[in-house]
Structures are given as structure tokens and as C-alpha cells.
Amino acid sequence: MKIRNGVVGFLVVTELASGFLQGWFIPLVEAIGTRWHVDTAQLNWVTAIYMLMTVVFVPVLGKLGDVYGHQRMLAITAALVTAGSIVVAVAPTFGVFLLGRALQAPLAAFLPLEFAIVRERRPEDAGRSIGRLVAALTFGAALGGVISGVLYGVVGSLAVTLWIPVFFMALCVPIVAFLVPETTTRNTGRVDWLGAGLLGLGLLLLLGALSNGATWGWADPVVLAGLIGGPVLLGGWVLAARQVAHPLIDLSVLSGAGIGLPLLMAVLFGAQFYGSTTATTFYYLADPAVYGYGLGFPAGLAGVVMLLPTLVMVAASMTGDRIARAITAPRALAVGGLLAALSYLGMLLAGGSAALFIGAGVVGAIGNGLVVTVLPAVVVARADADVVGVSSALYNTSRTAAGAIAGALFALVMSLFAMPATVAGAQVSVSTIASFRAVWAIGAIIGGAMIALAFTLRERTTANVLV
């Protein structure tokens, strides 16, 4: 059955809801800590458990989509996320709340499954459709963050605020089930559950150790077990993938289909895009009278100002496919990497100038908007028809895992430059300006690496589009 022309519009609605949910919890972290009486270190798990579980869910759901149908798995995924959102809303304890956040992690599989659907619908327009989906996700995340903060401020009830995403996600289930037709291409292989277990557990151990090493101590036995056991299990996954007929991720596809290099670029993109977020956000909020650096924006003003780069990124992602068609995808990715590098250099040179710092963020948003649209389109276009789901899932997992690792490593870098100081009458360890400069310098270097990889990406003609 052919996919009807209106399907992209329905999928845009699901991505708006997806972004809405992903941005919903950012302004609520302090309220969550107050409700369940947990400290800042424990609150890191509000985001960490979600990111870590996406590493497990996304490749499996992508593979299941290739085998059993992408629309079917998208509907099931929406139902799972709705159930997780209900658990979050009714959670009596912080532990149950984190369980709900883990059950929301299949949300990250929305995009890979949708990419497979739009690829089959009209391959020559897949890039444009992907741009719309990514723009909807980005805009939804910005909108969710703003609305949740305002709503909580008005109603003053965390319980009421946490129920709102339930209704948005529940709406996605019938939309996908009844308005999005199924894809027809199938992969005849079976799901490699052993590979899924080794990959998921290995990444969970490694990323969990990296995420908590600075808090628990790098000599902590649990951290050491993760740092050692994680790579061992990942090595076992690589060996097992070469022995089974239908591995979860066919490693030969990475080179044979030409998606290995784009996935490496996804790793670099995720590292600079997600890894530097905390440092940049804190610089907006830091009071120069207290810390000796920062812009000193109140939380409300910072939220509004940081919305500007998000909106610019949405606009850039909407035009990414058009730019790639005009100058080719490799050159568009090189431009994206260049703008990202210039953005970090601008932050390094901005000092206390709010205008220069905000301008640098806007430049980076343009570059990231290009990359976040063009790069998945390259992966989708190069993947064989029966592995689009798992290839797209691998792209999503690569950038998310890289972001989690980079966030942990950037936190370690910043801690190396920390100095004792007195803040609000208490002796604490605070980051120095050198900490931020180190993060931004690394980001600029990563941007340069993205440029180099883009120029080594060979042009291929697929459906009259250079990818």
C-alpha cells in the first residue's frame, strides 16, 4: 500500500509532541528535587536515565521496524511513551519517577521510524521531509520548555504540570495507528536479542560510569566496574555480531553502504552540540559579580534569550535540504561544521559582551540546523531499503551516546580548572573562566574535524540528489 501524501503532516504532529515532551522537564528539575527531597547529584538522573535508556531502546525498535513494519512500531512506541508519561505523573517516589523516565526513552525512536516511512513515501523528497520533522522536533522542545515553566508558575502544582504531556502523547497513538499507512519493505532477518543485550548493557555501564565518575569518584568500585565492564561487553557485542546471521547492527553495512563516515560525523555533532550545553547555559546565568565571569541573566530572561538560537536552528533546518541540493550535501555539512567552529571561537572572544555571545550562539544554531537536517538525510539515502530503520536508529544513538559521553568528559575538564570560592557565605568549588574556554576550544576543534570529514564524504547520486 502506498503512503498517502498527507503522511508527513501527521508525522510532524508526532514530532511536535515528541519535542514537547523532551523540553518539558528542563524548567521543572528544581521542583522535582523539592517534591522528592533529592539533591542535585541525584537530579542528574532525570536526564541521564532517559539518555542512557535511549541507547537500549532505539536500535532495537529500529530493527523491529525493519522486520515488522515502521508504522506499527511507531504506534507501539507512542503507546509505550504514553504509559511512561503516566508513571511519571503518578509516581509516589523518586525511584518510580525515574522508572517512568526510562519508559519514556522509546521516544527517541520516533525519528528513525519516521525517516524510514518518508524514505519509502517519496525517496526524492526524503531530505525535505526530514527537515520538516527535525524542525518540528526542535520547535516542540523549545515550546515545551517555555510552556512547562509558565504553567508550573501559574498553577504551582508539579503533579498537574506532569499530566499535560500524557495527553499530547496519547493523541499520537490514534494519529499513527489510523492516519499513517504502513511501509511495505521488510527485512527478513530476526531480532538479535543477544546483541541487543550486550550493546545495551555495555553502553549503560560505560556511559553510567562516565556520567557519574566526577560525582562518585573515579576510584569508586562501581565506576571502575563500568569503565572496565562496559568496553568488555561492547567488545563481546562486536564479536557476536560477526558470528550471527542477522545481527542487530550489521557492521559490514557501515562500510558497504557508505554510512560509516556519516555516522562518525554524527558522533562529532552530538559531542559538540549536546556536550557543551550545560557550560553555555551556566555562562548565561553566572553573575560576574560573584564568579568573575558570565552574563548574569535572570533565569526568565535567559530562557527567552536562549529561545532565539532555537528558533534560528528551526529555520535553518527547514532550509537545509534546499541548500544541500544547491551546493551538495558534503559542502552543506562542511558549512555547518564551519559555522559551529566559528560559534565557539566567538564565545571564546566574547568576554562579557552579551551581544557577541548571543550572536555567536545564533551562528552556531545556523550551522547545527544544517547538520541536523542534512546528515540524517545522507544516512537515509545511502542505507539499503530494508535497513533504513536500524541505520537511522544507529545515527540517533551515535549522536546521543556521543553527547552523553562528551557531557561527562566536559564536566571532567571543567572540574580540572575549578577553584575553591565563597558563594552565598559557603565554601564551594566553582568553575573558572578557563573551564569554559577549554570547553569552547574543544567545541571549535570538533567543528574543524567535521569540516575535514565533510570534504572526504564522496558525492553519490540517489534519486537525483547528491548525498
Side-chain angles (χ1 to χ4, degrees), residues 260-437:
L261 188 58
L263 289 179
L264 179 57
M265 293 189 68
V267 168
L268 294 176
F269 170 77
Q272 63 87 20
F273 182 68
Y274 296 111
S276 64
T277 299
T278 299
T280 302
T281 301
F282 188 80
Y283 195 83
Y284 273 110
L285 299 169
D287 186 350
V290 176
Y291 297 99
Y293 58 81
L295 302 182
F297 287 176
L301 177 59
V304 173
V305 170
M306 287 187 289
L307 183 62
L308 175 61
T310 301
L311 296 177
V312 170
M313 186 173 170
V314 170
S317 64
M318 289 290 288
T319 60
D321 177 66
R322 187 179 306 170
I323 293 173
R325 289 171 181 266
I327 65 175
T328 76
R331 290 172 183 168
L333 292 172
V335 171
L338 174 62
L339 293 177
L342 290 176
S343 173
Y344 289 112
L345 291 175
M347 293 177 185
L348 281 168
L349 300 174
S353 171
L356 290 178
F357 195 86
I358 294 170
V362 169
V363 170
I366 297 172
N368 288 326
L370 285 176
V371 175
V372 82
T373 298
V374 176
L375 193 53
V378 170
V379 173
V380 168
R382 293 187 172 208
D384 293 334
D386 61 344
V387 293
V388 173
V390 73
S391 297
S392 300
L394 189 56
Y395 160 78
N396 243 30
T397 300
S398 297
R399 67 173 191 167
T400 303
I405 293 173
L409 293 180
F410 282 176
L412 174 61
V413 169
M414 294 186 74
S415 69
L416 296 177
F417 293 95
M419 298 287 290
T422 301
V423 178
Q427 283 291 325
V428 295
S429 179
V430 299
S431 299
T432 63
I433 185 60
S435 304
F436 296 88
R437 288 171 177 166

Side-chain angles (χ1 to χ4, degrees), residues 115-210:
F115 289 169
I117 293 172
V118 299
R119 154 74 181 262
E120 181 171 293
R121 172 182 171 265
R122 289 187 65 186
E124 67 275 12
D125 284 339
R128 186 178 305 158
S129 299
I130 287 172
R132 293 173 182 171
L133 294 173
V134 170
L137 171 65
T138 306
F139 181 71
L143 193 64
V146 171
I147 293 177
S148 67
V150 172
L151 179 63
Y152 178 71
V154 171
V155 303
S157 170
L158 181 63
V160 171
T161 308
L162 292 177
W163 268 105
I164 302 302
V166 175
F167 299 107
F168 280 92
M169 293 312 306
L171 178 64
C172 293
V173 178
I175 287 177
V176 175
F178 299 111
L179 299 178
V180 178
E182 183 59 276
T183 52
T184 57
T185 304
R186 293 286 182 273
N187 186 307
T188 56
R190 293 179 295 180
V191 177
D192 175 21
W193 293 110
L194 174 61
L198 290 173
L199 175 63
L201 185 57
L203 286 173
L204 280 173
L205 288 175
L206 179 60
L207 296 183
L210 289 172

Side-chain angles (χ1 to χ4, degrees), residues 3-19:
I3 299 201
R4 295 187 289 267
N5 290 332
V7 66
V8 175
F10 300 131
L11 295 179
V12 163
V13 173
T14 67
E15 273 312 310
L16 278 171
S18 172

